Amino acid sequence: MRLAVISDIHSNFEALQSVLPQIDRDGVDAILNLGDIIGYNASPNECLELLWDRPVVSLAGNHDLALLEVSRAENFNIIAYQALLWSREQVKEGYLDFFRSLPITREGKGFIACHGTPTSTDAYLSYHFQGKRVFNYLRHLPDVRVCFFGHTHRRALWYRDIRGKIALISVRPYKMRLDKNCLYLINPGSVGQPRDGSPEAAYAVYDDEEFSIHFKSVPYDVKTAQRRILEAGLPEFLAERLAQGL
Ligand SMILES: [Fe+2]
């Protein structure tokens, strides 16, 4: 099975609109969305419309949950909080049941998927001790070899070998073979607000038969996404950061 893994779309219609045709060309069997459809950018309903007719399996992100319950945004920074309040006014009522239906985790053949970590939509997985914690959690899931996560908006590939060594592997722009004796934590990066230093919309293609991961990115119309942010009256920094990928 070939799976396109996307995350952190964050209401960026132009980015999502560029990524989906590329995913079609990748010839995948399914699309797995690790959450945060809304927040930060200016096109929540347009993104939902784009996803609506596709067989996308989505999870809840922390911004998606805060859309339903604003108290969950209390620890957001001020810019994220302002964008969330704006999103709450924009998202059409008809989509709210969809957000209520989103699961926190999802398991598939040999993998588990989550937004932050398998036990929290808000927790970040950036440092060694955080990776170790998640690998320890995976011990309770003997069939799982891969955990997909998002939330940091940065591509990442962690492994744990049979001796228990945990380390990051540099993400490469070509298909990377995985080792069946290792466990992996994989972050595909962000579609709508990448923070890898490149403005391109990021995602990944996972193949469970050849056991490989291919990190990909697609250029998109950043200028239009920025214009929509400014026209919506959202903080200017949200437009600036898109051009810089931060
Ligand atoms: Fe996010």
Side-chain angles (χ1 to χ4, degrees):
M1 182 194 60
R2 281 165 63 77
L3 194 61
V5 188
I6 61 175
S7 191
D8 295 279
I9 296 164
H10 282 300
S11 301
N12 189 333
F13 173 74
E14 288 72 25
L16 184 61
Q17 198 183 29
S18 294
V19 160
L20 290 176
Q22 183 58 49
I23 287 175
D24 290 340
R25 287 191 286 276
D26 289 329
V28 299
D29 301 296
I31 302 175
L32 177 63
N33 166 29
L34 306 177
D36 275 3
I37 295 172
I38 63 107
Y40 293 125
N41 300 304
S43 309
N45 293 307
E46 292 86 345
C47 287
L48 286 157
E49 274 161 37
L50 264 189
L51 293 174
W52 211 245
D53 295 329
R54 288 173 174 266
V56 180
V57 173
S58 293
L59 301 176
N62 56 319
H63 287 250
D64 304 321
L65 294 174
L67 179 80
L68 300 171
E69 198 183 324
V70 74
S71 64
R72 296 191 64 119
E74 275 165 8
N75 60 352
F76 281 20
N77 66 53
I78 184 68
I79 286 175
Y81 189 71
Q82 284 172 4
L84 178 82
L85 294 184
W86 180 87
S87 303
R88 280 170 62 88
E89 286 168 13
Q90 302 297 318
V91 171
K92 290 180 188 163
E93 186 88 25
Y95 287 123
L96 295 182
D97 276 344
F98 163 73
F99 283 102
R100 287 186 196 107
S101 75
L102 294 176
I104 301 299
T105 61
R106 185 141 190 151
E107 279 186 55
K109 194 177 150 213
F111 72 82
I112 185 167
C114 60
H115 183 66
T117 69
T119 53
S120 167
T121 52
D122 296 85
Y124 287 96
L125 203 175
S126 300
Y127 298 108
H128 188 273
F129 77 95
Q130 295 163 328
K132 191 173 173 185
R133 213 175 265 164
V134 177
F135 279 122
N136 283 340
Y137 177 84
L138 297 188
R139 283 186 188 168
H140 306 294
L141 307 170
D143 296 330
V144 168
R145 288 183 298 167
V146 173
C147 172
F148 295 110
F149 70 101
H151 191 44
T152 67
H153 299 204
R154 291 192 174 137
R155 289 175 284 193
L157 177 59
W158 291 86
Y159 76 93
R160 180 186 191 277
D161 70 14
I162 43 175
R163 291 172 303 152
K165 182 189 171 191
I166 293 169
L168 264 175
I169 303 170
S170 297
V171 167
R172 305 288 182 195
Y174 46 78
K175 188 190 285 181
M176 301 173 76
R177 299 276 175 174
L178 305 174
D179 180 340
K180 292 205 165 155
N181 294 310
C182 294
L183 298 176
Y184 292 92
L185 312 178
I186 299 174
N187 188 327
S190 167
V191 170
Q193 194 193 75
R195 298 177 190 163
D196 286 316
S198 161
E200 294 195 350
Y203 73 103
V205 175
Y206 171 68
D207 188 318
D208 72 342
E209 273 152 40
E210 57 178 32
F211 206 36
S212 67
I213 188 78
H214 192 163
F215 292 93
K216 298 190 166 204
S217 65
V218 185
Y220 73 93
D221 184 356
V222 173
K223 285 208 156 45
T224 299
Q226 290 176 310
R227 183 172 49 74
R228 285 187 196 235
I229 288 168
L230 299 176
E231 283 172 3
L234 286 162
E236 257 174 61
F237 175 65
L238 290 173
E240 286 165 20
R241 71 188 303 173
L242 290 183
Q244 295 164 47
L246 55 82

